Structure formats: C-alpha cells, structure tokens
Amino acid sequence: MIEPAGEAGGLRGYLPIGGRSLLRHQIGLALSLGAKRIVVVAEGISGALVSLQHVAESGGAQFHVIATARALVPLVAPEDDVIVLGDGLLVLPTDFTRLIESGPAVLTLPVETALALGYERIDINHASAGAMRLPGRIAAGLAELPAEWHVHSALLRLAVQAQVPMRSVPANMLDDGRWSIVRTEAEALPAERRWLGLHTRPTADESLAPGSRLGLFLVRRYGPAILHAGTRPAIVLIAAVVVGLLGVGSGWLGHDVAGFLLLGAAWLIERFASVLAKVERDSLLSSGIARQGSEIFTLLIDLGFVSIAAWRSDLPAVPGVPPGATAFAPLLFVGGTRLVRLALSGRRWAGLLDDRLLLGLGLAIASVLLPFDVALGLAVLALFGTCLFTLQFAAGGAGKRDQAAERLSSSHSGEGSPNSRLTSGR
C-alpha cells in the first residue's frame, strides 16, 4: 500500500477489481495459502485497512501494518515461510498456488516484456514477477539496510544474494490476464474484464446451453457494475426468488405463458447470482451461495413448472379424470429431464436438459401453438426414447468392440501355438 495509482491520486492497492480492492484480493490469496500472519506495508492506518483486518482475522490470520522495512524483522522468525506479493499484483489463485507450492523461489518473467508492464528488473535476462517465497531467515537482513528502503525491492535483493532459486512464470499468463500488475485506473478496467472472464469460462456442459451462456454473458457485461455498486450475490438471489413467485402466481391466475417465462427468467437470475458468488468464493474466499443452494432453487423452479403445466392442462374438462392426474405428464417430463441428464452425462448436448430458460420458453411456445397435453406426452416419449436409443447404441458399440478384441486375442493365441509345438518337439 505504498505505490501511487497514477496521477489521479490514491494508492495502487485500493484500485477496485470486481468491487473489491487489489489488497482485498491479495488477502484472499494469502488466506487460501493458509497464511497465519499477514503484514501490510503502508504509511499509516486507514478505515479500509481496519475493515481488511477484520477479514484477515476472521480467516484465522494475525494482521499487522508496518511503515518501514526494519519493522518487518521482529515479525518474522527464521523458521517461517514468507510469501511476498508486490504492490498491485493480481493473479489467479490456482495458478499462483501451483507455482509457489513446490518450495522457496523468486518468480520471474522475461525482462524484455515485463519491464514495460511495471515489473522490476533482476538482471539482464530476468525481471521479478512481483511475487516470491522465501525462508524467514532472509528477512533478518532487512535490519542492516537503511529504513527508507522499499520492502519488496529489499527482499528481492536479499533473496537473489542468498541464491534463492528462480522460477519462471509462463509468459502466456500475461496475455490472458492470469498474472498482472495493475498500476492505474485505466489499467484496472481491462484487467477487471479479463479477471471476470477467467472466472466465468463456460464448462463443457454449459457451452451448448443458451441459457447458461446468456447467464455468463450477463455476468461479464453487468457483473462489474453490480459489484462496484456494493450489490452482493445474495441480493440478486432475492430478486430471483421474487421473479419465481411472480411466475407461480401468474400461472395460478391462468396466465400460464407468463408463468413459464417468468420461471425461466428466475432461473437465469439465480444463475447470474450463483456465478457471481462463485467468483467471490474462488478469488476472495468470501462466503457466497453454495452449490447446494443453487440445486435447491432449481428444484423449486422445476416444481413451479410442474404446477403451472398441471393448471394449464385441458384434462380437468374430460369426464372421469381423477384429481391430480393433470400433474402426471408434467412430472414425468420435468423429472425426465433430470433423469436423462444423469444417464447421458457423457454427452455434451445433454447439458441442454439442465437449461431451465430453454425449458420455460419451450413450454410457453407449446402452450400457445400446440395441443398442450398431447405435446407434453410426445415430449416425454421423445425424451425417454432418445435416452434408450442412445444407451442401447452405446452398449451395442461396446459389445462389438469387445467381440473384436476377443477374436484378435484368440487369433494371436492360435498363431503362437505352432511355434510352441515346434519348440516342444525340438
């Protein structure tokens, strides 16, 4: 918390990324590594540092603020393991852990590309990557240096003199934003977009589902503004609950198309909140919406679809139909999407069955353009028929491969038997 953030004033460590300061990201990184003591170099105590102290202490770490390099010496024992993060450094926690976990090292970058990005030169070929892991005994050398020395630079020189091994950071991490030093507000904006993109890359299951991809796009587009405004994912989740209740209420009042669409929108809003919460958990170690909570919400959305489809059914007008029969086909259909999704988990296209926005849109179209009960019954047959055909086809292919392997094995055995007899005769 020493370096200024350009000419606009303020400090580099206070620059916001995803609604949280760079220093808050570094504290989350330190806590993820199991740090027991966090030391921040700053000229004085501020309200922001006090709030960050509470974050560190709630994570089980002691928190200290020092102003000079010499003040670090009594806080570090020779047997300690010291991890140093440069002012304004923003890294992906998983990549940082992989680079640092194998032992003490000074992390380096190629000097020709790193200097222009704000990294410090080590020698003719190497620049510091802004992070290192040192034995605690090296920090004792700070006591022999002038008090005005920059702490990070001093530790870097001491580590090089002590011949701490150098470990290269892959250069491609600089290109995609997994490793960067943010120096000004102008650099913070593109860094924030890259950082959010790294945390919202679609999985294989999400790559084909339009609702999931739309949710990720909305997080990348509007997530920073929401986080900067101080809106936490739990508030967005409340909005999803409200929209879901409006959907069920619309279906109850006979507006089934609006009900289906609102339930799909509620699922999309919940996905938005869930992705935001995942970003905070992964990069900040913040509490957020757990995956179990997301599953429960999706289950409630499914029950809403079943209820509205049962209310929409034309079967009550048929004489002799018992109460509750209208929910049978919707229950088979919605439950079938879950069952078939599990049975075909290895198929990328099966991820479409998890997309509740697509499901709500399909039910709304069927309600307007098709005989609803007939369409729902045919959808159930198509769903289970596709599942049975796919599994049977896969089982048949596996059986043919096994038979071919057996024939090949037996042919090899047959070829070997004359040689065996010949050897035996000799």
Side-chain angles (χ1 to χ4, degrees):
M1 296 295 297
I2 297 295
E3 299 293 338
E7 299 178 356
L11 296 175
R12 186 183 296 180
Y14 285 139
L15 290 173
I17 298 292
R20 305 293 183 93
S21 68
L22 282 168
L23 184 58
R24 173 64 183 88
H25 284 272
Q26 292 188 350
I27 289 176
L29 177 59
L31 293 175
S32 71
L33 296 170
K36 299 303 180 184
R37 176 176 293 140
I38 295 176
V39 183
V40 176
V41 182
E43 294 181 353
I45 300 292
S46 65
L49 284 178
V50 172
S51 64
L52 292 175
Q53 178 181 357
H54 297 323
V55 172
E57 291 176 348
S58 64
Q62 299 179 26
F63 189 84
H64 304 268
V65 178
I66 62 174
T68 65
R70 290 179 178 178
L72 181 64
V73 176
L75 297 177
V76 180
E79 65 274 11
D80 283 344
D81 201 19
V82 182
I83 295 176
V84 185
L85 302 176
D87 205 344
L89 182 68
L90 179 67
V91 296
L92 205 63
T94 52
D95 291 321
F96 183 84
T97 302
R98 186 172 62 251
L99 285 167
I100 212 75
E101 64 183 355
S102 58
V106 174
L107 301 185
T108 64
L109 289 165
V111 70
E112 59 272 10
T113 57
L115 289 184
L117 298 175
Y119 297 91
E120 185 176 356
R121 179 190 290 271
I122 297 176
D123 54 34
I124 191 172
N125 296 317
H126 302 94
S128 168
M132 49 191 158
R133 177 178 174 180
L134 314 171
R137 56 180 172 78
I138 292 179
L142 295 174
E144 302 174 4
L145 299 178
E148 64 272 12
W149 268 57
H150 190 283
V151 179
H152 188 275
S153 297
L155 286 173
L156 177 61
R157 302 307 163 192
L158 291 171
V160 172
Q161 292 175 10
Q163 297 184 342
V164 174
M166 294 186 183
R167 189 172 301 144
S168 298
V169 174
N172 61 348
M173 290 188 181
L174 296 175
D175 300 329
D176 57 19
R178 287 181 289 166
W179 199 285
S180 60
I181 282 185
V182 185
R183 298 173 292 179
T184 64
E185 291 185 6
E187 292 180 354
L189 293 176
E192 182 178 61
R193 288 193 292 268
R194 292 193 303 267
W195 169 81
L196 202 56
L198 289 170
H199 288 282
T200 54
R201 286 179 290 194
T203 63
D205 291 339
E206 294 171 334
S207 59
L208 294 180
S212 296
R213 292 187 66 88
L214 178 59
L216 294 176
F217 168 77
L218 292 175
V219 170
R220 298 190 194 105
R221 179 66 179 83
Y222 300 105
I226 289 177
L227 292 173
H228 283 299
T231 305
R232 304 266 61 88
I235 303 299
V236 183
L237 178 61
I238 293 175
V241 172
V242 171
V243 174
L245 292 176
L246 289 174
V248 174
S250 297
W252 172 257
L253 295 175
H255 304 292
D256 49 275
V257 174
F260 289 136
L261 294 178
L262 285 172
L263 283 179
W267 176 84
L268 179 63
I269 296 172
E270 190 279 332
R271 292 302 305 148
F272 183 92
S274 181
V275 172
L276 282 183
K278 179 181 180 298
V279 169
E280 290 199 336
R281 289 197 305 270
D282 291 348
S283 62
L284 300 172
L285 292 188
S286 295
S287 60
I289 305 166
R291 183 61 190 165
Q292 293 82 357
S294 181
E295 291 292 343
I296 292 173
F297 186 89
T298 304
L299 179 60
L300 294 176
I301 290 291
D302 285 351
L303 292 177
F305 280 132
V306 172
S307 300
I308 297 177
W311 297 331
R312 166 62 179 82
S313 175
D314 297 323
L315 289 180
V318 179
V321 175
T326 56
F328 182 68
L331 191 60
L332 275 180
F333 176 65
V334 176
T337 60
R338 288 177 167 267
L339 182 62
V340 174
R341 174 69 183 87
L342 292 174
L344 303 178
S345 58
R347 309 280 177 166
R348 285 188 61 194
W349 59 264
L352 293 170
L353 299 177
D354 282 337
D355 195 327
R356 267 36 192 170
L357 180 65
L358 192 63
L359 179 62
L361 182 61
L363 289 173
I365 293 174
S367 178
V368 174
L369 301 179
L370 301 173
F372 187 74
D373 295 295
V374 174
L376 208 58
L378 292 176
V380 171
L381 292 176
L383 192 65
F384 285 95
T386 301
C387 179
L388 290 174
F389 177 79
T390 304
L391 293 176
Q392 185 65 35
F393 180 78
K400 290 180 181 179
R401 287 193 297 270
D402 292 341
Q403 292 176 3
E406 290 178 1
R407 288 196 296 269
L408 184 62
S409 176
S410 61
S411 64
H412 286 170
S413 300
E415 291 173 358
S417 57
N419 294 334
S420 299
R421 290 193 296 270
L422 181 60
T423 303
S424 177
R426 287 176 181 174

